[in-house]
Amino acid sequence: MPTNSDLAKIIDNTVQENVRAENEFGLSFITFLSKAADIVAPWWSPRRDKELREFYRSVDHLCGAVFTTTTKISSIPFKIVPNDFSIKSHVRIADQYTKFLYDVAQFGDGWINFISRVVEDLYCQDNGAFIEIIGEGDKSQEIQGMPLSVAHLDSAHCIRTGDPIYPVIYEYNGQKHKLHFSRVIYMSQMPSPDVDMNGVGICAISRALYSAQNLLDMAVYKQEKLGSRPNRRLIITKGGLDPEDIQTAIRLAEENMSSSGLTRYSKTIGIGDRNLQDPSVEVVDLTSMDGFDEENSTIFAMIVIATAFGLDPKELFPYQMSGATKADSVIQHMKQRGRSLGQTLYMLETGFTNKFLPPFLHMEFDYQDDAEDRQVADINNVRATTRQFNINNSVTDVRTERELMLLHGEISREQFVQLELNDGRLDDGTSVEVLFYSDDKDYSEWLANGGNKEEIMKIIVTSKSPEKVEKARKALAAIEYREKKSKDEMNNRLLEQARQQNAILANRQNGIQQAPKGGPPQSTNGVDLSYTTERFSNKKPADLTISSTQVSEYMRK
């Protein structure tokens, strides 16, 4: 947990005046204007975003969608991981950063409090979401040293400039702070390609605005028609009634229902006169709804809202659908995976990796999804079978298959490099033995006279330079590869000698002695080897010599 001095240091270096104790609360710089449009102001203006906030909070269905989205994303755990797990100091620093973000974000309120605000702005404001990276130094200049914390910036107080160096101006209580790009992470959904809009987008609330208004209108309509204790029915006895008698009956009925404590439900009103001739009864329904299909209207509106938020409609509105199969469910799930949830996580990972973390670390969200994991496992199984077949039949080699694994994301770049080093190759495919002939100063020093493994291993353990550690690992791999190669050659020679000795012993057991060089094999047990003797005897036919006279006579004939 952050200490008081930690928080004081963070507060001293933030641009958000409202978190300082001496600051007085004031009104937003955005004026509260009345609506001029039928729902909210046209796209885009700060006034529109203000009205979008007010609108979605008045619609239960939108509030549910915002809650579902924020809780879904804020509950996904993240971790900071090193680019190279073999460097133990990087692993340790990554763990420290993970705990740091969970504890210190949003002025010590923690990660969930922080990310919930960011996600709500991202999905509810066309201007998008803004994150301040709090650090030391001039706020209008590049951040100095390690960042101290992160905090949500209210989108309503952030002005996009379009300047890549100073992309955001934060305004509060009349004070403006020009933020350097290293001090702010900003994002929006569906950013406009219009250069004049500086990346303002169209948020989920804007994408579902009129469908949500339809739901609100239906709720208001029912409330106005049924929620104020309307008269339920009117019973008229035929034969003639004075209108004053009807009004009197309704007034008396209202008084009786009020004294009975009824606020929504109303009883049936009966009107009649015992002196009427030929009486009969007519019932008039006073609370019937106008003819429209509320169920279908609600379902269609919820589908639009779910699509706008990138959610499965059943996550927001668990209605029953007939005829759906398991295959349909799988297809719907696969479609869902490509929506805004993955995009939001990617934007957060990219923003924190590029602007908050040191270059040897990156952020990863651990999004657990059993259906996706099962699908990935099936695909990897098919690829592994194909890979083994290709290698066994010399269609490809091990390096080619590793490159395909790297392309498909089955292994990381660091894992690929390490596997290649284990096989005696650099990442470009050349042998690690070329390092023995390198003009590089470090390689020349480390690999002189066959290499000094102890010195190289000390560098790997103690050096704080990732580049030097990587070079040391390659040098160590070169030494180990040459040692392994020499050992393999020695083993091969010993195996060949042993094979020859075994062959000699086998021949002796079969009664055959090894023949002298150029001579026939010798029998040791009386076996007739005359054929072999004649075959290997030195009685060779004489060389054939032809004179030039013989050749001339042959040509004349």
Side-chain angles (χ1 to χ4, degrees), residues 84-298:
D84 189 343
F85 280 91
S86 65
I87 304 178
K88 301 305 180 183
S89 60
H90 292 184
V91 175
R92 184 178 65 256
I93 295 173
D95 293 339
Q96 293 173 351
Y97 264 97
T98 301
K99 187 176 185 306
F100 176 77
L101 280 176
Y102 272 114
D103 293 343
V104 182
Q106 200 59 35
F107 306 105
D109 287 343
W111 175 262
I112 292 181
N113 188 300
F114 157 75
I115 199 62
S116 296
R117 302 183 188 193
V118 174
V119 173
E120 181 175 339
D121 268 359
L122 182 63
Y123 281 80
C124 302
Q125 301 284 275
D126 290 336
N127 197 29
F130 298 82
I131 299 171
E132 180 189 7
I133 302 175
I134 304 173
E136 296 179 309
D138 186 349
K139 309 302 181 296
S140 62
Q141 300 300 321
E142 186 175 1
I143 196 168
Q144 300 296 314
M146 173 183 173
L148 301 175
S149 182
V150 291
H152 162 259
L153 286 171
D154 189 347
S155 177
H157 297 269
C158 293
I159 304 171
R160 294 173 177 263
T161 66
D163 184 348
I165 306 299
Y166 305 104
V168 176
I169 294 176
Y170 180 76
E171 182 176 359
Y172 189 83
N173 273 355
Q175 297 186 11
K176 294 183 178 181
H177 298 273
K178 184 171 64 173
L179 297 178
H180 189 268
F181 75 89
S182 64
R183 294 179 176 270
V184 61
I185 299 172
Y186 53 98
M187 61 194 81
S188 64
Q189 292 186 333
M190 294 182 63
S192 172
D194 188 342
V195 66
D196 295 327
M197 297 311 300
N198 298 330
V200 172
I202 302 177
C203 67
I205 302 297
S206 285
R207 297 194 293 268
L209 190 60
Y210 287 96
S211 294
Q213 180 66 40
N214 184 42
L215 292 175
L216 179 61
D217 290 343
M218 287 193 297
V220 172
Y221 172 81
K222 290 195 300 181
Q223 182 70 17
E224 290 179 350
K225 189 162 186 177
L226 303 177
S228 57
R229 204 187 66 186
N231 294 321
R232 190 169 184 82
R233 292 186 183 91
L234 179 64
I235 300 177
I236 303 176
T237 57
K238 294 183 178 180
L241 279 176
D242 191 291
E244 293 182 359
D245 294 336
I246 297 176
Q247 294 177 0
T248 301
I250 292 176
R251 184 174 64 254
L252 292 174
E254 290 283 350
E255 293 174 358
N256 290 334
M257 286 184 286
S258 296
S259 63
S260 299
L262 299 177
T263 59
R264 293 289 185 267
Y265 180 80
S266 63
K267 295 182 178 181
T268 301
I269 302 172
I271 304 175
D273 193 321
R274 68 181 63 186
N275 297 321
L276 294 176
Q277 297 179 355
D278 300 327
S280 63
V281 176
E282 179 182 357
V283 179
V284 179
D285 193 351
L286 300 179
T287 59
S288 62
M289 298 291 293
D290 295 334
F292 69 95
D293 192 338
E294 181 183 1
E295 180 181 1
N296 283 336
S297 297
T298 302

Side-chain angles (χ1 to χ4, degrees), residues 219-513:
V220 172
Y221 172 81
K222 290 195 300 181
Q223 182 70 17
E224 290 179 350
K225 189 162 186 177
L226 303 177
S228 57
R229 204 187 66 186
N231 294 321
R232 190 169 184 82
R233 292 186 183 91
L234 179 64
I235 300 177
I236 303 176
T237 57
K238 294 183 178 180
L241 279 176
D242 191 291
E244 293 182 359
D245 294 336
I246 297 176
Q247 294 177 0
T248 301
I250 292 176
R251 184 174 64 254
L252 292 174
E254 290 283 350
E255 293 174 358
N256 290 334
M257 286 184 286
S258 296
S259 63
S260 299
L262 299 177
T263 59
R264 293 289 185 267
Y265 180 80
S266 63
K267 295 182 178 181
T268 301
I269 302 172
I271 304 175
D273 193 321
R274 68 181 63 186
N275 297 321
L276 294 176
Q277 297 179 355
D278 300 327
S280 63
V281 176
E282 179 182 357
V283 179
V284 179
D285 193 351
L286 300 179
T287 59
S288 62
M289 298 291 293
D290 295 334
F292 69 95
D293 192 338
E294 181 183 1
E295 180 181 1
N296 283 336
S297 297
T298 302
I299 290 174
F300 291 145
M302 293 305 297
I303 290 175
V304 172
I305 293 175
T307 302
F309 278 83
L311 299 172
D312 189 331
K314 291 185 178 180
E315 292 186 72
L316 301 180
F317 190 63
Y319 60 92
Q320 296 296 325
M321 293 181 62
S322 60
T325 64
K326 182 178 180 180
D328 295 331
S329 300
V330 173
I331 292 174
Q332 291 297 325
H333 178 81
M334 292 172 63
K335 290 180 179 179
Q336 159 62 21
R337 290 293 300 135
R339 295 180 182 170
S340 64
L341 179 61
Q343 183 191 58
T344 301
L345 297 181
Y346 177 78
M347 288 191 294
L348 289 170
E349 288 175 345
T350 303
F352 274 87
T353 299
N354 293 339
K355 295 191 176 182
F356 185 81
L357 300 174
F360 54 86
L361 302 179
H362 66 274
M363 171 182 273
E364 287 183 359
F365 279 92
D366 187 15
Y367 184 33
Q368 299 293 335
D369 190 306
D370 294 338
E372 182 190 19
D373 291 344
R374 183 166 54 251
Q375 182 185 9
V376 171
D378 292 340
I379 293 174
N380 288 341
N381 184 48
V382 173
R383 285 175 176 168
T385 303
T386 305
R387 185 177 303 121
Q388 189 64 45
F389 176 84
N390 290 340
I391 293 176
N392 292 341
N393 291 276
S394 300
V395 177
T396 57
D397 56 15
V398 173
R399 177 179 171 81
T400 302
E401 293 299 331
R402 283 179 184 160
E403 290 175 340
L404 292 175
M405 292 174 69
L406 177 63
L407 178 65
H408 296 148
E410 297 178 68
I411 58 175
S412 66
R413 180 73 187 175
E414 291 73 23
Q415 291 171 331
F416 172 81
V417 172
Q418 186 59 49
L419 289 171
E420 285 295 288
L421 286 178
N422 293 341
D423 285 350
R425 291 186 294 269
L426 300 176
D427 53 354
D428 60 358
T430 57
S431 172
V432 291
E433 287 188 290
V434 301
L435 299 180
F436 284 97
Y437 309 100
S438 173
D439 294 334
D440 185 275
K441 179 181 178 181
D442 291 330
Y443 289 133
S444 299
E445 178 182 347
W446 296 337
L447 300 178
N449 301 321
N452 189 335
K453 291 178 66 174
E454 292 184 1
E455 179 184 353
I456 296 174
M457 285 189 286
K458 288 180 181 178
I459 294 172
I460 294 175
V461 174
T462 60
S463 178
K464 296 182 180 180
S465 170
E467 293 79 10
K468 195 163 187 176
V469 170
E470 183 178 0
K471 290 175 65 176
R473 287 172 54 198
K474 291 180 179 179
L476 183 62
I479 296 174
E480 292 178 345
Y481 177 75
R482 176 167 283 189
E483 290 178 349
K484 181 177 180 298
K485 182 179 178 181
S486 177
K487 187 180 296 184
D488 289 342
E489 291 175 351
M490 176 65 70
N491 289 337
N492 290 335
R493 286 196 299 270
L494 293 176
L495 287 174
E496 179 62 23
Q497 292 176 3
R499 189 189 65 77
Q500 293 177 359
Q501 291 296 330
N502 290 336
I504 293 173
L505 291 176
N507 288 338
R508 286 178 179 175
Q509 291 176 356
N510 291 331
I512 302 175
Q513 290 183 351

